[in-house]
C-alpha cells in the first residue's frame, strides 16, 4: 500500500472525489509506527475510511486543499508538544526540528492544535473536529502553561474542537469515525471511553464521578490546583478510573474513564499494518526528515509504564498498565526490517517507554487496577511486584538468531531497579554481553534522597549497586562498555545544596556528563504541578522550587563543574551556599581557588622578577669589571708609549 494522499492529485489517482477524513499534523508526514499520526491513519484506513494527510499546514487555505471531508478533521500537533518542539527549558528558541524536512524549525505554529482548529473553523464552521496526540492529551484539563506563566483552560475549550481523544487513541478514534459515518453528530458522541467533551452546565446530567476544583479555583488557589492534579492522576486507570469533571465557567469538561489498553492481538494488528516505514518522497529534495533516523530500524514491543516518574508524562498519556505485542509479531517486523535496502544488520532498539517491562507489575492490577497514590518501584519496590525478564529474554534471543542480523541493541530506557530485583541474573548478563552498543543509557537523574523522592525515583544506592555489577560483568566479558547516566537539574525539591551534592557525587564517581537536562515543566505531570504550586499534590506540603533563570543556571553549571566556561558560575554558587571547602586545588574540590592561584602566580612572578634582577646586577658587575680591566690596559699601554 502506498503513502496516504497528501495532495489532491494523489487523492484523485485513488479514485476519490473527497476524503472521509483529513488528518492534520504538525509534523512532516512519516509513515512509520513510531509516529502517532501514522498509526491512527492506518487504523482508520483499515476500518474502511478514505484518509488524506495534511502535514504542517501554513494557513487557513491549506485546509481546503482536499475539499470538505465527509466526516471531519482529526487534528494533532505531532509526535511532541509544539511548545517543547520550539523552545528549550530556558525558553530559548530551538534552531532545529527533527520532525520537519531538513530539520528546519518554524514549520508549525506555537500551540499548533489551537491554531489548526481555529483555521479549520474559518473554512468550515460546522465541521466535526477531533483532537488528539500528546499536546491535546496532556492539556485535557485546566493546566499550568510554563511559557505564558499562567493557567490555561482545557485545550478542548481553547481550540473549539468537538471531542478530545486522550491516550493512545486507536479504539476511540475508530469508534468516533464509525458513529460519524452512521450519521451521529459530534455533540451526541459523549460516552466513548478515552475521550473528553465539553457540555453546557445546564445540559450536564449528573453521574458518579470525581470532580476537580473548577478553572476559576485552580487559577486563583494553588492548593486547589494541586488537589485537581492529584484527582486527575489517580483516576488515570482503565480498570478503576472514574469519570472526571471540571467546571469551566458556563461549561463542564467531562473526561470519560480511560480506554482499556489494546490486547496483545490488537497491538499486533496495529503494528503490522502496511506502513511505508519512511518519510514521504516529497521530502527527499529537502534533505529528508531527521526524526526517522532514530527509529527506522527500531521496534516497539510494549506500551505503558508502571515506573511512572513524576516528571514524565508517559503514565498520564499511555497509562501504567503494560500492553505487549506477541513475540511472533515482533519477529515478523524484524524480518521486514532486514529486507530494507539500507539495513546494515543492526536493530537499534527493541523497547518502548521502558524496555524491560513485558509483564503486569502484579496480578491484581488486571482486575483491580494499579494502586491509587502509590508507585510500584519507588521509593522502594513494592513487595507484590512481579519481576520477570523471561519473556523479554526469549524474544531477544529469537531476534539475535534471525538471518542478516548482526546485533540487537536496547537503547530505550532500562529500569535498573526492576532489573536488580530479578533474582535470576541471566537477563542482566545477556544484556551486557549482547545488547549494549558501547554505551548503555540509564536514568538515575539525581543522587539526593530528597530530590529522588520528589521525582518518584529509587535511591542512589540502587544505582550504585547496578553500576558496580554492570562493570563487573563488562570486565569479566572482556568488553569496553560504559554507562551513560541521564541527570536532571533544577527539579522541584532541589536546592543549591542538593545540586552541589550531585556535583560532588559526579566527581567522586569520575562522571563528566556531556548533556544535562534542566527540568522542563510540561503540562500534565506531577512535577509540573509542584513547580507551579510549590506543593506536593499528595501531601499538600511545601516543596522548594528553583524558579529563576539565575538559580537554574547555577544548578546546571554545577553538574558540569569541570567545564572552563562554567568556572565562574560554579564559584559563585559554591560561595553563595557557604561551600568554600569545595574551592581549591585539593582532590575533592570542584574548582580551583582564584585567590590562591593569584597568590601562586604572584609568587612565581616575584621569583622570576628577583631572579631577573639578580642576573642584571651580576651582568652590571661583569661589565664594570671588564671596563676596569680595559681602562687599566689602556693606561699601561699609554705608559709604554
Amino acid at each position: 500500500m502506498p503513502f496516504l494522499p497528501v495532495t489532491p492529485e494523489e487523492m484523485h489517482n485513488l479514485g476519490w472525489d473527497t476524503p472521509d477524513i483529513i488528518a492534520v499534523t504538525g509534523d512532516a508526514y512519516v509513515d512509520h509506527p513510531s509516529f502517532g499520526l501514522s498509526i491512527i491513519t492506518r487504523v482508520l484506513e483499515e476500518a474502511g475510511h478514505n484518509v488524506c494527510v495534511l502535514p504542517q499546514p501554513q494557513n487557513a487555505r491549506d485546509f481546503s486543499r482536499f475539499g470538505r471531508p465527509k466526516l471531519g478533521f482529526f487534528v494533532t500537533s505531532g509526535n511532541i508538544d509544539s511548545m517543547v518542539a520550539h523552545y528549550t527549558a530556558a525558553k530559548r528558541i530551538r534552531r532545529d526540528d527533527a520532525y520537519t524536512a531538513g530539520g528546519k524549525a518554524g514549520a508549525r505554529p506555537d500551540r499548533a492544535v489551537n491554531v489548526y482548529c481555529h483555521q479549520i473553523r474559518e473554512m468550515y464552521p460546522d465541521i466535526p473536529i477531533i483532537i488528539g496526540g500528546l499536546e491535546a492529551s496532556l492539556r485535557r484539563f485546566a493546566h499550568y502553561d510554563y511559557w505564558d506563566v499562567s493557567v490555561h483552560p482545557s485545550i478542548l475549550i481553547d481550540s473549539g474542537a468537538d471531542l478530545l481523544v486522550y491516550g493512545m487513541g486507536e479504539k476511540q478514534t475508530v469508534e468516533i469515525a464509525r458513529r460519524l459515518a452512521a450519521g451521529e453528530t459530534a455533540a451526541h458522541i459523549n460516552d466513548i471511553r478515552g475521550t473528553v467533551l465539553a457540555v453546557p452546565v445546564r445540559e450536564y446530567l449528573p453521574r458518579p464521578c470525581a470532580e476537580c476544583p473548577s478553572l476559576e479555583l485552580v487559577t486563583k488557589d494553588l492548593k486547589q490546583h494541586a488537589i485537581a492534579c492529584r484527582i486527575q492522576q489517580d483516576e488515570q486507570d482503565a480498570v478503576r478510573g472514574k469519570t472526571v469533571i471540571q467546571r469551566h465557567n458556563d461549561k463542564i469538561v467531562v473526561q470519560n474513564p480511560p480506554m482499556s489498553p489494546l490486547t496483545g492481538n490488537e497491538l499486533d494488528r496495529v503494528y503490522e499494518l502496511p506502513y511505508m516505514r519512511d518519510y514521504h518522497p516529497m521530502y527527499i529534495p529537502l534533505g529528508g526528515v531527521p526524526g526517522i533516523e532514530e527509529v527506522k530500524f527500531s521496534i516497539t514491543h510494549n506500551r505503558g509504564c508502571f515506573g511512572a516518574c513524576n516528571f514524565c508524562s508517559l503514565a498520564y498519556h499511555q497509562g501504567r498498565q503494560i500492553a505487549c505485542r506477541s513475540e511472533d509479531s515482533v519477529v515478523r517486523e524484524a524480518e521486514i526490517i532486514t529486507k530494507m535496502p539500507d539495513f546494515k544488520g543492526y536493530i537499534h532498539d527493541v523497547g518502548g517507554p521502558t524496555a524491560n517491562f513485558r509483564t503486569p507489575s502484579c496480578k491484581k492490577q488486571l482486575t483491580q487496577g494499579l494502586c491509587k497514590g502509590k508507585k510500584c518501584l519507588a521509593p522502594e519496590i513494592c513487595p507484590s511486584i512481579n519481576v520477570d525478564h523471561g519473556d523479554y529474554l526469549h524474544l531477544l534471543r529469537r531476534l539475535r538468531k534471525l538471518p542478516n542480523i548482526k546485533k540487537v541493541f536496547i537503547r530505550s530506557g532500562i529500569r535498573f531497579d526492576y532489573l536488580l530485583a530479578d533474582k535470576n541474573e541471566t537477563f542482566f548478563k545477556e544484556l551486557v554481553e549482547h545488547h549494549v552498543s558501547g554505551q548503555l543509557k540509564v536514568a538515575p537523574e539525581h543522587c539526593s534522597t530528597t530530590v529522588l523522592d520528589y521525582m518518584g525515583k529509587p535511591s542512589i544506592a540502587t544505582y550504585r549497586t547496578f553500576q558496580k555489577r554492570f562493570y563487573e560483568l563488562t570486565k569479566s566479558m572482556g568488553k569496553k562498555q560504559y554507562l551513560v547516566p541521564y541527570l536532571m537539574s533544577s527539579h522541584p525539591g532541589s536546592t543549591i545544596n542538593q545540586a552541589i551534592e550531585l556535583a560532588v557525587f559526579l566527581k567522586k564517581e569520575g562522571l563528566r556528563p556531556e548533556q544535562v537536562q534542566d527540568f522542563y515543566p510540561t503540562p500534565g505531570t506531577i512535577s509540573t504541578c509542584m513547580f507551579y504550586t510549590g506543593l506536593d499534590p499528595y501531601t499538600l506540603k511545601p516543596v522548594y522550587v528553583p524558579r529563576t533563570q539565575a538559580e537554574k543556571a547555577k544548578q546546571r553549571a554545577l553538574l558540569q563543574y569541570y567545564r572552563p566556561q562554567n568556572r565562574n558560575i560554579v564559584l559563585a554558587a559554591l560561595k553563595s551556599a557557604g561551600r568554600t571547602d569545595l574551592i581549591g586545588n585539593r582532590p575533592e574540590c570542584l574548582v580551583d581557588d582564584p585567590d590562591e592561584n593569584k597568590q601562586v602566580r604572584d609568587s612565581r612572578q616575584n621569583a622570576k622578577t628577583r631572579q631577573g634582577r639578580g642576573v642584571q646586577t651580576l651582568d652590571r658587575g661583569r661589565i664594570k669589571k671588564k671596563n676596569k680591566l680595559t681602562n687599566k690596559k689602556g693606561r699601561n699601554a699609554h705608559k709604554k708609549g
Side-chain angles (χ1 to χ4, degrees):
M1 179 66 189
F3 288 92
L4 297 175
V6 296
T7 66
E9 292 75 21
E10 290 178 352
M11 178 181 71
H12 295 315
N13 288 340
L14 293 174
W16 309 347
D17 293 326
T18 56
D20 297 327
I21 295 165
I22 297 176
V24 183
T25 177
D27 291 341
Y29 178 31
V30 180
D31 190 30
H32 188 280
S34 291
F35 288 69
L37 178 104
S38 299
I39 289 179
I40 294 299
T41 53
R42 288 298 184 185
V43 167
L44 287 167
E45 177 191 45
E46 186 196 37
H49 302 290
N50 295 339
V51 184
C52 288
V53 177
L54 180 58
Q56 299 182 323
Q58 297 300 303
N59 52 58
R61 292 189 303 277
D62 283 345
F63 293 94
S64 62
R65 180 180 301 171
F66 303 100
R68 180 187 175 98
K70 296 174 184 176
L71 303 183
F73 286 87
F74 287 47
V75 179
T76 176
S77 69
N79 260 18
I80 61 175
D81 187 286
S82 61
M83 299 303 286
V84 175
H86 284 175
Y87 302 97
T88 68
K91 301 184 182 179
R92 297 191 182 96
I93 296 176
R94 298 188 192 275
R95 291 175 292 181
D96 51 23
D97 184 342
Y99 296 100
T100 296
K104 294 181 179 180
R108 82 188 86 207
D110 286 356
R111 300 182 177 83
V113 169
N114 288 344
V115 173
Y116 294 158
C117 289
H118 295 161
Q119 291 176 332
I120 292 168
R121 284 280 179 245
E122 287 182 28
M123 300 298 299
Y124 307 105
D126 59 344
I127 196 83
I129 301 176
I130 317 302
I131 59 175
L134 197 67
E135 182 164 311
S137 185
L138 301 184
R139 290 172 164 80
R140 64 191 97 143
F141 293 104
H143 56 278
Y144 171 69
D145 187 278
Y146 172 64
W147 304 274
D148 270 355
V149 196
S150 63
V151 175
H152 283 206
S154 164
I155 194 171
L156 188 63
I157 303 294
D158 267 352
S159 68
D162 295 287
L163 278 173
L164 183 156
V165 172
Y166 70 92
M168 299 307 285
E170 293 95 346
K171 289 182 179 180
Q172 48 269 57
T173 303
V174 169
E175 179 62 9
I176 291 167
R178 185 190 69 79
R179 292 198 188 182
L180 290 172
E184 289 189 47
T185 63
H188 287 89
I189 302 176
N190 57 17
D191 60 341
I192 300 176
R193 295 176 72 98
T195 63
V196 181
L197 56 144
V199 297
V201 171
R202 65 182 181 277
E203 296 178 13
Y204 177 68
L205 299 176
R207 52 177 153 160
C209 65
E211 183 170 1
C212 289
S214 67
L215 169 64
E216 182 181 10
L217 281 175
V218 301
T219 302
K220 294 180 178 179
D221 189 321
L222 297 177
K223 183 178 179 181
Q224 294 300 313
H225 192 107
I227 290 171
C229 170
R230 183 179 68 208
I231 293 170
Q232 293 155 20
Q233 295 286 336
D234 283 349
E235 301 306 328
Q236 183 62 26
D237 188 275
V239 177
R240 55 163 181 76
K242 300 176 183 176
T243 296
V244 181
I245 67 172
Q246 186 179 50
R247 184 163 179 159
H248 280 56
N249 301 318
D250 61 343
K251 291 186 177 180
I252 292 181
V253 170
V254 182
Q255 174 188 281
N256 290 320
M259 179 62 79
S260 58
L262 297 181
T263 65
N265 288 337
E266 289 170 337
L267 209 54
D268 288 353
R269 191 173 73 251
V270 164
Y271 280 90
E272 293 189 68
L273 291 171
Y275 304 98
M276 297 300 290
R277 311 188 73 83
D278 210 341
Y279 47 78
H280 192 281
M282 65 182 174
Y283 300 122
I284 293 174
L286 302 174
V289 182
I292 189 66
E293 299 304 322
E294 284 295 314
V295 297
K296 191 171 186 178
F297 305 119
S298 296
I299 302 173
T300 299
H301 77 91
N302 67 3
R303 284 183 179 178
C305 182
F306 55 74
C309 301
N310 287 341
F311 52 80
C312 179
S313 61
L314 278 168
Y316 189 53
H317 181 60
Q318 292 194 14
R320 292 194 289 161
Q321 187 173 325
I322 303 299
C324 288
R325 296 169 63 186
S326 69
E327 286 186 19
D328 289 344
S329 175
V330 174
V331 169
R332 285 193 291 269
E333 183 173 355
E335 289 172 339
I336 291 171
I337 289 174
T338 63
K339 294 178 174 63
M340 295 171 68
D342 48 350
F343 180 67
K344 305 298 183 185
Y346 300 95
I347 299 291
H348 293 165
D349 188 27
V350 182
T354 297
N356 56 326
F357 289 171
R358 266 189 77 81
T359 57
S361 57
C362 67
K363 293 180 180 179
K364 75 173 187 177
Q365 70 162 256
L366 299 177
T367 56
Q368 300 177 43
L370 285 101
C371 297
K372 183 184 290 190
K374 295 181 181 179
K375 295 185 182 296
C376 299
L377 299 176
E380 296 178 349
I381 290 183
C382 174
S384 299
I385 197 83
N386 174 36
V387 182
D388 185 2
H389 288 92
D391 190 34
Y392 190 35
L393 184 60
H394 190 262
L395 169 61
L396 293 169
R397 286 172 175 171
R398 285 186 65 182
L399 294 173
R400 295 201 306 258
K401 292 178 181 178
L402 290 178
N404 302 319
I405 288 184
K406 299 175 183 177
K407 282 285 187 180
V408 178
F409 296 124
I410 300 173
R411 291 182 176 174
S412 50
I414 287 281
R415 278 300 292 236
F416 55 82
D417 47 350
Y418 182 78
L419 186 153
L420 289 176
D422 193 342
K423 295 178 181 179
N424 186 337
E425 206 178 39
T426 305
F427 172 71
F428 199 169
K429 290 178 179 178
E430 293 199 18
L431 168 70
V432 173
E433 184 176 4
H434 297 292
H435 303 293
V436 178
S437 58
Q439 297 178 335
L440 179 65
K441 296 176 181 178
V442 288
E445 302 293 358
H446 215 281
C447 70
S448 163
T449 300
T450 300
V451 180
L452 289 170
D453 283 348
Y454 284 126
M455 289 179 165
K457 298 286 289 185
S459 71
I460 197 62
T462 307
Y463 173 73
R464 287 181 186 273
T465 302
F466 172 78
Q467 176 184 251
K468 181 174 182 292
R469 187 58 182 147
F470 175 85
Y471 284 115
E472 287 174 351
L473 291 172
T474 296
K475 185 178 180 181
S476 70
M477 295 172 188
K479 292 179 173 288
K480 290 185 178 180
Q481 297 178 156
Y482 305 93
L483 293 177
V484 178
Y486 283 142
L487 300 165
M488 185 181 294
S489 62
S490 303
H491 187 276
S494 177
T495 65
I496 199 70
N497 286 318
Q498 263 105 34
I500 292 170
E501 182 183 347
L502 180 54
V504 171
F505 167 81
L506 293 173
K507 179 154 193 184
K508 187 175 180 180
E509 296 294 325
L511 298 172
R512 291 194 167 193
E514 288 301 313
Q515 292 184 328
V516 175
Q517 175 63 56
D518 280 342
F519 168 65
Y520 204 151
T522 54
T525 72
I526 295 170
S527 296
T528 296
C529 175
M530 287 191 277
F531 177 87
Y532 171 58
T533 65
L535 299 170
D536 181 335
Y538 282 90
T539 65
L540 299 181
K541 292 181 179 178
V543 180
Y544 177 80
V545 178
R547 296 186 186 280
T548 67
Q549 292 300 332
E551 182 173 1
K552 289 181 180 182
K554 286 181 180 178
Q555 294 210 22
R556 182 182 178 89
L558 279 161
L559 271 60
Q560 296 175 314
Y561 63 88
Y562 54 87
R563 289 187 168 182
Q565 61 266 38
N566 289 343
R567 182 174 175 275
N568 289 337
I569 193 168
V570 171
L571 275 169
L574 293 173
K575 289 178 180 178
S576 67
R579 293 301 306 271
T580 54
D581 57 304
L582 296 174
I583 302 172
N585 297 313
R586 300 177 304 283
E588 68 274 16
C589 292
L590 297 178
V591 289
D592 55 13
D593 187 341
D595 295 331
E596 183 178 322
N597 287 349
K598 185 175 185 303
Q599 292 174 3
V600 170
R601 288 195 300 271
D602 288 349
S603 176
R604 289 175 180 171
Q605 184 61 42
N606 290 338
K608 287 181 180 179
T609 301
R610 286 193 299 272
Q611 184 181 9
R613 286 172 180 167
V615 169
Q616 289 173 5
T617 302
L618 179 63
D619 286 345
R620 287 193 191 104
R622 286 176 178 168
I623 292 168
K624 188 175 181 181
K625 184 177 181 181
K626 183 178 180 180
N627 290 340
K628 187 176 181 180
L629 289 172
T630 302
N631 291 337
K632 185 176 180 181
K633 287 179 180 179
R635 286 195 298 271
N636 290 339
H638 178 72
K639 288 178 182 178
K640 288 180 180 179

